[in-house]
């Protein structure tokens, strides 16, 4: 009977994430429906971003100043120009906002950007795989159900607006999809020679035009 009561109380938490828009610059939308009412607790999604995508820390800071997004990024210093094969994983803690139409529903969106990949052979796309996020709960004035939530090792405050530490808890959840796919356009290796030749020709032509203009209109003492 105790086991049945626990299973009834701990209904599955459902997580959905999707990429919006097209191209290299997307919005990542995360939606969570908890198995129980969160009360006054903070709800967040902890995501491990693979090297193929990143969040711009400067853009994130601007959005947070405008109160459009609340998130913590680790590390907070990122080379936004690095290609995928020279980048590393990132950890994003995205604070979710309560859905006014559903007491157990939360959602948030954050801009993400795809990195350039190495040229591929036989395909014009590279796949970036984003695993389902971990759902976290932080209750500074109450405690979540012990049967449903377990303490999580998250070294960050309950909110992006405070600095005091708080105990986060995690729960098992049922993702709508185990992982999300982002298709990134890449160059073809068989075009390397053509691209190099055209680049060299264009560079030489432009340099010649600049030199000719400088000789014709320049004033040399």
């Amino acid at each position: 009977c105790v086991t049945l009561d626990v299973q009834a109380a701990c209904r599955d938490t459902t997580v959905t994430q999707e990429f919006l828009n097209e191209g290299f610059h997307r919005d990542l939308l995360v939606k969570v429906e908890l198995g129980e009412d969160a009360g006054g607790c903070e709800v967040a999604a902890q995501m491990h971003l693979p090297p193929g995508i990143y969040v711009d820390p400067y853009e994130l800071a601007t959005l947070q100043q405008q109160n459009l997004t609340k998130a913590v990024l680790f590390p907070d210093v990122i080379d936004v120009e690095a290609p995928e094969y020279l980048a590393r994983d990132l950890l994003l803690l995205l604070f979710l906002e309560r859905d006014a139409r559903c007491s157990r529903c939360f959602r948030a969106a954050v801009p993400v950007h795809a990195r350039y990949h190495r040229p591929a052979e036989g395909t014009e796309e590279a796949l970036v795989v984003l695993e389902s996020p971990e759902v976290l709960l932080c209750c500074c004035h109450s405690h979540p159900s012990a049967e449903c939530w377990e303490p999580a090792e998250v070294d960050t405050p309950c909110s992006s607006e405070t600095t005091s530490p708080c105990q986060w808890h995690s729960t098992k959840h049922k993702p709508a999809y185990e992982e999300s796919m982002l298709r990134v356009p890449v160059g073809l290796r068989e075009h390397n020679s053509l691209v190099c030749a055209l680049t060299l020709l264009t560079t030489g032509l432009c340099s010649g035009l600049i030199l000719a203009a400088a000789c014709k209109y320049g004033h040399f003492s």
Side-chain angles (χ1 to χ4, degrees):
C1 293
V2 174
T3 303
L4 293 177
D5 289 341
V6 170
Q7 290 177 346
C10 300
R11 292 183 295 176
D12 285 335
T13 293
T14 305
V15 180
T16 304
Q17 62 180 4
E18 59 179 315
F19 291 105
L20 307 179
N21 308 324
E22 298 292 336
F24 278 80
H25 309 287
R26 305 288 192 95
D27 286 330
L28 176 60
L29 175 63
V30 180
K31 295 186 287 187
V32 171
E33 182 176 349
L34 297 178
E36 59 177 308
D37 196 324
C41 303
E42 289 281 350
V43 179
Q46 182 170 256
M47 292 173 283
H48 293 270
L49 304 182
I53 57 176
Y54 70 93
V55 173
D56 188 332
Y58 305 104
E59 182 181 23
L60 183 61
T62 300
L63 292 174
Q64 296 201 112
Q65 289 175 358
Q66 300 172 354
N67 202 30
L68 297 176
T69 298
K70 298 178 181 179
V72 179
L73 188 62
F74 304 97
D76 55 0
V77 178
I78 301 171
D79 184 358
V80 299
E81 300 294 336
E84 178 270 340
Y85 48 88
L86 295 179
R88 56 176 176 167
D89 292 358
L90 302 174
L91 183 64
L92 177 69
L93 185 66
L94 180 63
F95 296 94
L96 308 181
E97 298 288 339
R98 187 185 300 272
D99 191 330
R101 299 166 297 180
C102 174
S103 62
R104 297 186 291 109
C105 301
F106 297 79
R107 60 187 294 156
V110 62
V112 296
H113 308 276
R115 294 186 183 274
Y116 290 105
H117 288 61
R118 291 184 187 274
E121 188 170 352
T123 179
E124 297 180 354
E125 293 181 331
L127 291 180
V128 177
V129 179
L130 180 62
E131 297 180 353
S132 181
E134 180 181 4
V135 180
L136 299 175
L137 194 70
C138 187
C139 305
C140 294
H141 306 291
S142 61
H143 297 283
S145 172
E147 295 86 0
C148 307
W149 298 85
E150 298 180 353
E153 295 182 4
V154 179
D155 187 18
T156 191
C158 268
S159 169
S160 60
E161 300 173 350
T162 63
T163 57
S164 57
C166 186
Q167 177 62 63
W168 287 88
H169 293 78
S170 64
T171 183
K172 294 181 179 180
H173 66 273
K174 180 175 62 178
Y177 305 99
E178 291 293 339
E179 54 192 24
S180 299
M181 300 283 190
L182 176 64
R183 299 181 182 275
V184 181
V186 298
L188 294 174
R189 289 183 182 176
E190 47 265 39
H191 292 167
N192 280 356
S193 299
L194 178 61
V195 171
C196 290
L198 290 176
T199 301
L200 183 61
L201 180 61
T202 303
T203 302
L205 179 61
C206 292
S207 299
L209 292 174
I210 293 173
L211 183 59
C215 293
K216 183 176 181 179
Y217 301 105
H219 299 281
F220 303 97
S221 55

